[in-house]
């Protein structure tokens, strides 16, 4: 796994409203498009400077497409990046149905089996 590359996806998509909306609407399409172009750009996003060795592994791609934040966390994706992107995707819908902070409570419940354990490493 390239923890860096998955974290780059989470960070870039979460901070761009258009990318975030596309990810919510069609996760597979956005993951494929990001991996083919934006994710490969180096530095400040200049399309000329590109990496040729970073790529999403099949299990990373699946977890991103399925919004499987538990799997992403367990693979080493940064917990805060996972939390913030999926809050941005789910919080409004969850709040309407179940009240404030309902997605955050679900997130905590689904990761509760990590209580008392060391977090997965988030370093490269």
């Amino acid at each position: 796994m390239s923890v860096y590359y998955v974290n780059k996806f989470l960070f870039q998509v979460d901070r761009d409203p258009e990318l975030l909306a596309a990810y919510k609407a069609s996760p597979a399409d956005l993951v494929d498009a990001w991996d083919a172009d934006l994710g490969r750009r180096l530095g400040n996003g200049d399309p000329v400077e590109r990496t040729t060795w970073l790529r999403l592994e099949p299990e990373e791609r699946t977890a991103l497409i399925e919004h499987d934040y538990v799997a992403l966390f367990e693979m080493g994706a940064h917990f805060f990046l996972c939390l913030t992107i999926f809050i941005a995707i789910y919080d409004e819908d969850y709040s309407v149905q179940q009240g404030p902070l309902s997605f955050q409570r679900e997130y905590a419940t689904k990761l509760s089996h990590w209580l008392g354990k060391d977090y997965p490493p988030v370093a490269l």
Side-chain angles (χ1 to χ4, degrees):
M1 172 179 177
S2 170
V3 174
Y4 166 80
Y5 202 55
V6 170
N7 286 336
K8 181 178 179 179
F9 174 90
L10 297 170
F11 177 78
Q12 285 184 330
V13 173
D14 189 30
R15 66 187 278 240
D16 184 315
E18 290 179 15
L19 289 175
L20 188 62
Y23 184 44
K24 184 175 181 178
S26 183
D29 289 340
L30 188 275
V31 169
D32 289 345
W34 182 89
D35 190 30
D37 181 33
L38 188 58
R40 307 224 178 215
R41 295 180 187 189
L42 299 176
N44 64 358
D46 184 337
V48 174
E49 293 186 287
R50 301 174 62 80
T51 180
T52 58
W53 66 274
L54 287 173
R55 71 184 186 294
L56 292 170
E57 298 297 331
E59 63 274 8
E60 297 165 345
R61 182 179 301 280
T62 299
L64 288 169
I65 289 169
E66 295 177 357
H67 295 179
D68 188 347
Y69 49 85
V70 175
L72 290 167
F73 175 82
E74 290 177 345
M75 285 187 254
H78 196 281
F79 55 90
F80 185 74
L81 294 175
C82 281
L83 177 62
T84 59
I85 193 171
F86 293 113
I87 285 174
I89 290 172
Y90 291 117
D91 189 53
E92 188 175 319
D93 297 334
Y94 273 63
S95 291
V96 167
Q97 295 175 3
Q98 302 167 24
L101 299 176
S102 52
F103 174 75
Q104 290 88 325
R105 286 192 295 270
E106 178 180 299
Y107 185 94
T109 298
K110 286 187 175 182
L111 290 171
S112 66
H113 61 282
W114 280 94
L115 287 173
K117 298 179 185 178
D118 290 334
Y119 288 134
V122 295
L124 296 176

